Amino acid sequence: MHDASALAARAVSKRYGPVVALDHVTLEVRRGECVALIGESGSGKTTLLRCFNRLTDPDEGQVLVDGADVASGDPIALRRRVGYVPQDGGLLPHWRVRRNAALVPWLHGAADADAKADRALSLVGLDAAAMAGRWPRELSGGQRQRVAVARALAASPDIVLLDEPFGALDALTRADLQGTFRALRRELGLTTLLVTHDLAEAELLADRIAVMHGGRLEQIAAPAELRDAPATDYVRALLARARVRE
Amino acid sequence: MIRRVGALSLAAALVAVLPAAGRPQATGGTPRPVIVASKPFGESYLLAEMFAQLLEARGIAAERRLGLGATEIAFAALRRGAIDVYPEYTGTGLLAILHEHPSADPREVYARVARESRERFGVRWLPPLGFQNTYAIAVRRETADRLHLRTLSDLARVGPTLRAGLTPDFIGRDDGLPGLGRAYGLRFREVRALLAAVKYQALAAGEVDVIDGYSTDGLIVKYDLVVLEDDRAFFPPYEAAPVVAPGLAERRPDVVAALTELSGLLREPAMRGFNRRVEVDGEPVAHVAADALAGLGLTRAAAADGDDKHGRRAGPARAGLLPYLWAERRTLLGLTERHLLLVAVSLLAAIALAVPLGLVLERARRGAEAVIRAVGVLQTIPGIALIAFMIPLLGIGVVPALVALFLYSLYPILRNTYTGVRDAAPDAVGAALALGMTPRQILRHVRLPLAAPLIMAGVRTAAVINVGTATLAAFIGAGGLGDPIASGLALSDTRMILSGALPAAALALVVDAGLGLCERVVRPGG
């Protein structure tokens, strides 16, 4: 049964002082599936994401990656195995594009880290020859975010975690990147967990959408099912708000 | 890498400095040179130079440490045996050192100060040299005439209308302004603390109306000042005498015998004449000292020729500043080297401590601000005070100077390291962690490179402050460009002051520019 799920959270709870960030959350992401975590700030979606690469350790419950309990493994090795794209790109400003993209292969000690970086840059639609020698500050916001995605993919992980990866981009650039990402994840067969506050993005990219509210998982369902049969008042309100915005 | 290089050059520099700084003990073989010191004013220089030349004429090697900070610094150095002898005055010994009240009888004061210094500190007063140099309260002749001033009682009458410029020493001492206030009811409209070197000029220029001086000052004659009579005999007797370090009399009876040859031979009019030659005519101290000893029949004439350090003012007698600097270039180069060494060694040591400490504090966070603030408080201690605190522990010379400069360098480097590393691109640090960099890798490859420009800026600040502060090292005999500044201040020689101050300023600019280049090199991302 574990074979089927790449990521799993079982009754995971996390408190920060009096604030309950996660309240007995259970979630599975199947191999090759893309699940979007959606909810407002403070809903616990980012906290849950960070449990999967141990940037956060839960107080209770179990977190599994590829069927193994992350608590019993080495967090550094886990993080090098799981791709990660933060909202702001998080490129190292004092490293050129190629070195940034080569980070994880370099951490693995790969001799061909630069070649891997170039391949990943091409995957995300960048001209590696032209971009590799540039500094991050010389890139546009969209290019920076592409490099961040390339960096997450360079070591060919099976699993990628994305924390509002396209949130800070303008609408056109965002649409571009969403298209690239959609194609890529199918092509590479990636398992992805995507945090977003944008329902349209979730519907576009995800196989299933997990709605979080106040540290609880309100509903997890395919986009169409979510629209047709919202399970709670909160989900219904969320859908209504999104429709107004559209 | 930077740190390793720093530690290596630090060690190398220390090895280079320490032989000069350490006080070689008399461990058999040839005895170490007798260290002759003075306080930072003309007559003290002159007497110390006479001691040194007399010892040398008797075949005893002497080393000069002239111009030590003030009474507290010189006496503390003597107690500790960091110096062997310096000229002191009985009244000062009783009041400023023993903190006792004097009587008017010179014999009794000498007997008391000699007995108590020996009992309390082991310090020996050799027989008096034969003259007194007591405090003199002086005014311009025009002021004296206009206000009919002849005595200190006259002055007390009009004091509240006058501005006084007094040495910091005098303002604080019991035998200075506070005692004068009690004895005469003397008050001034305003009291300004002025260094000995500037107070005569300030009085002549009308910036102040009253100054304190010494009764044998040559400048009193130069500026045609009126010394007011101490009609209530407030000032205690100030007989000059050599004071020697504990144990010296037993260890080196030859030194004591040689110095005792001077006792009773120096008279006030003669001293005033010698002082005028040094302070007003700008004659080299070594020449005047040699003349004085020869005149007393203690040495043959012209013994001091060729002594380059103390014949410094021999140069082109009254040439302009630039020819003077040119003539002094070799001395100045040596002093600049020493200065640079003081700055470099203290700075490297500060980097070696402050950068790792900044990193540790950034990891710990808790208490970091408190520690950094405590280090910041060091910055507020006046240089000369910090140096004075350290004499009981470290003596005088290069080592305490290095320690003081080191302490002053810590704060800017520590503060910038901590802030730089703490605030280094937080999203880049977060991503590096999420992608599997270890904390050590993050520190080495992300935080430190990103903080490097800020750390370098702290180092630059510390270096420039250090170049300035290192001029104070002269007051504890550590050399450097403060040497000509201190001597020039003591001897009222502007040219000599500038010969230290200008290279020091140039050095600050050069050091800042050089470190600016380093900063460009360490700046990450081209």
Side-chain angles (χ1 to χ4, degrees):
Chain A
M1 155 195 172
H2 288 164
D3 288 349
S5 70
L7 301 172
R10 293 191 184 150
V12 167
S13 294
K14 178 74 185 175
R15 258 175 220 87
Y16 294 107
V19 180
V20 179
L22 293 175
D23 187 2
H24 296 89
V25 175
T26 295
L27 175 87
E28 296 214 0
V29 183
R30 292 187 282 270
R31 203 165 296 288
E33 186 185 28
C34 176
V35 168
L37 290 174
I38 191 164
E40 52 210 60
S41 326
S43 63
K45 57 189 193 301
T46 293
T47 305
L48 180 60
L49 182 89
R50 292 163 62 92
C51 287
F52 289 107
N53 61 0
R54 288 197 60 188
L55 291 177
T56 300
D57 283 325
D59 301 328
E60 289 168 44
Q62 214 181 8
V63 176
L64 303 147
V65 172
D66 281 334
D69 190 334
V70 296
S72 56
D74 170 22
I76 301 292
L78 173 71
R79 288 172 197 154
R80 291 177 184 178
R81 196 155 60 80
V82 175
Y84 178 78
V85 182
Q87 168 171 19
D88 42 46
L91 299 183
L92 306 189
H94 59 302
W95 285 8
R96 291 174 196 270
V97 164
R98 177 181 283 133
R99 192 167 177 205
N100 262 294
L103 172 64
V104 184
W106 172 71
L107 289 174
H108 282 303
D112 59 344
D114 281 355
K116 289 193 154 98
D118 285 0
R119 217 171 307 135
L121 288 169
S122 307
L123 273 180
V124 299
L126 291 173
D127 177 358
M131 304 296 283
R134 298 213 195 158
W135 299 106
R137 64 169 181 277
E138 297 168 340
L139 306 182
S140 69
Q143 288 172 327
R144 270 203 288 273
Q145 213 56 22
R146 282 180 196 270
V147 175
V149 175
R151 181 177 62 181
L153 298 177
S156 309
D158 297 325
I159 300 167
V160 179
L161 307 173
L162 303 98
D163 189 1
E164 306 214 24
F166 315 124
L169 302 175
D170 65 84
L172 278 179
T173 312
R174 185 176 351 163
D176 263 4
L177 259 92
Q178 285 168 342
T180 306
F181 174 77
R182 213 156 96 110
L184 256 182
R185 78 154 184 101
R186 293 199 193 285
E187 187 187 326
L188 301 176
L190 296 174
T191 303
T192 52
L193 185 59
L194 168 78
V195 164
T196 180
H197 59 264
D198 178 359
L199 187 61
E201 179 170 276
E203 287 175 336
L204 179 71
L205 299 179
D207 301 312
R208 286 190 298 155
I209 298 174
V211 179
M212 297 202 58
H213 176 59
R216 296 174 150 279
L217 185 60
E218 295 274 326
Q219 184 177 8
I220 179 162
E225 189 189 337
L226 194 75
R227 276 192 187 272
D228 295 346
T232 66
D233 289 347
Y234 178 79
V235 177
R236 206 167 294 119
L238 181 81
L239 289 166
R241 274 207 305 279
R243 228 164 277 134
V244 169
R245 228 177 289 141
E246 282 162 17
Chain B
M1 181 61 198
I2 289 172
R3 231 186 310 165
R4 206 172 312 143
V5 171
L8 273 181
S9 17
L10 176 66
L14 276 177
V15 168
V17 168
L18 283 177
R23 298 175 302 109
Q25 298 301 316
T27 48
T30 48
R32 69 171 168 107
V34 174
I35 301 176
V36 180
S38 81
K39 294 200 280 184
F41 54 89
E43 183 173 280
S44 196
Y45 273 77
L46 181 61
L47 291 173
E49 182 60 29
M50 287 169 70
F51 295 169
Q53 287 187 19
L54 183 57
L55 291 173
E56 285 163 350
R58 298 294 175 266
I60 300 166
E63 190 183 314
R64 294 160 175 84
R65 286 280 176 83
L66 306 185
L68 293 186
T71 303
E72 286 71 18
I73 288 179
F75 193 79
L78 187 77
R79 272 177 68 181
R80 201 177 173 276
I83 59 175
D84 292 315
V85 56
Y86 80 96
E88 190 50 282
Y89 302 88
T90 52
T92 309
L94 203 60
L95 280 142
I97 300 169
L98 300 171
H99 307 292
E100 291 187 10
H101 288 288
S103 64
D105 176 7
R107 293 294 102 195
E108 193 203 319
V109 168
Y110 176 82
R112 253 173 76 197
V113 79
R115 189 182 64 241
E116 300 216 7
S117 295
R118 190 170 184 176
E119 282 170 5
R120 279 157 68 171
F121 310 117
V123 164
R124 292 276 292 269
W125 288 70
L126 301 187
L129 296 168
F131 70 96
Q132 282 202 31
N133 183 4
T134 186
Y135 278 114
I137 301 300
V139 296
R140 287 183 301 276
R141 183 162 299 284
E142 166 270 321
T143 312
D145 290 346
R146 181 166 48 86
L147 300 171
H148 310 290
L149 303 181
R150 203 182 52 77
T151 64
L152 288 179
S153 297
D154 294 341
L155 183 66
R157 194 161 37 75
V158 295
T161 68
L162 300 176
R163 296 158 305 165
L166 308 173
T167 40
D169 222 29
F170 188 83
I171 293 174
R173 292 159 61 143
D174 236 17
D175 59 339
L177 187 60
L180 212 52
R182 283 192 298 275
Y184 287 94
L186 183 57
R187 298 282 178 277
F188 293 109
R189 192 176 94 206
E190 185 193 341
V191 174
R192 292 164 73 177
L194 294 178
L195 283 183
V198 296
K199 66 188 177 190
Y200 283 99
Q201 279 143 306
L203 181 63
E207 296 285 326
V208 295
D209 306 305
V210 183
I211 62 168
D212 64 308
Y214 303 112
S215 56
T216 52
D217 276 355
L219 289 166
I220 289 175
V221 184
K222 176 181 176 185
Y223 289 109
D224 188 26
L225 305 179
V226 174
V227 173
L228 301 176
E229 186 194 324
D230 179 15
D231 51 323
R232 291 191 190 164
F234 164 72
F235 290 123
Y238 281 86
E239 286 194 290
V243 284
V244 301
L248 188 82
E250 292 72 30
R251 219 168 49 238
R252 298 296 303 271
D254 56 328
V255 172
V256 171
L259 292 172
T260 309
E261 289 181 48
L262 272 171
S263 60
L265 292 187
L266 296 172
R267 293 292 163 196
E268 268 154 62
M271 279 311 294
R272 218 171 284 135
F274 295 142
N275 286 338
R276 192 173 61 225
R277 283 171 63 185
V278 170
E279 292 171 356
V280 182
D281 305 337
E283 257 189 80
V285 173
H287 289 189
V288 178
D291 281 357
L293 290 175
L296 294 169
L298 293 173
T299 62
R300 263 171 279 141
D305 279 355
D307 181 326
D308 89 291
K309 181 174 161 75
H310 303 283
R312 195 183 297 154
R313 293 207 298 172
R318 274 295 163 195
L321 179 63
L322 288 179
Y324 178 78
L325 290 177
W326 180 248
E328 295 294 305
R329 63 190 182 278
R330 290 185 59 176
T331 314
L332 292 176
L333 196 66
L335 292 172
T336 306
E337 270 170 30
R338 165 60 66 88
H339 203 87
L340 204 53
L341 190 70
L342 289 171
V343 171
V345 172
S346 57
L347 194 65
L348 287 171
I351 293 170
L353 177 70
V355 172
L357 180 60
L359 299 179
V360 168
L361 289 176
E362 196 279 331
R363 297 290 294 179
R365 291 293 168 92
R366 179 183 288 245
E369 279 299 328
V371 172
I372 294 172
R373 259 184 236 125
V375 172
V377 169
L378 286 174
Q379 213 75 12
T380 66
I381 304 175
I384 205 77
L386 185 61
I387 282 169
F389 290 149
M390 280 185 311
I391 289 180
L393 303 168
L394 299 171
I396 59 167
V398 170
V399 172
L402 283 176
V403 172
L405 293 175
F406 162 78
L407 292 175
Y408 280 128
S409 303
L410 287 176
Y411 180 70
I413 304 176
L414 179 63
R415 169 62 76 187
N416 280 28
T417 302
Y418 173 75
T419 308
V421 173
R422 185 192 59 190
D423 298 346
D427 34 281
V429 171
L433 181 70
L435 287 162
M437 271 191 162
T438 61
R440 186 180 290 262
Q441 285 171 325
I442 290 174
L443 183 64
R444 172 151 173 228
H445 296 291
V446 185
R447 287 183 190 268
L448 263 183
L450 291 178
L454 207 57
I455 297 174
M456 271 309 295
V459 170
R460 260 172 101 169
T461 308
V464 172
I465 292 174
N466 239 353
V467 171
T469 312
T471 55
L472 291 178
F475 288 108
I476 49 169
L481 290 167
D483 246 12
I485 297 177
S487 314
L489 284 170
L491 304 171
S492 307
D493 186 332
T494 311
R495 222 171 38 168
M496 193 185 283
I497 296 172
L498 288 175
S499 79
L502 291 179
L507 198 60
L509 292 175
V510 169
V511 165
D512 188 49
L515 290 172
L517 283 179
C518 295
E519 192 176 322
R520 211 173 301 165
V521 171
V522 301
R523 186 175 292 279

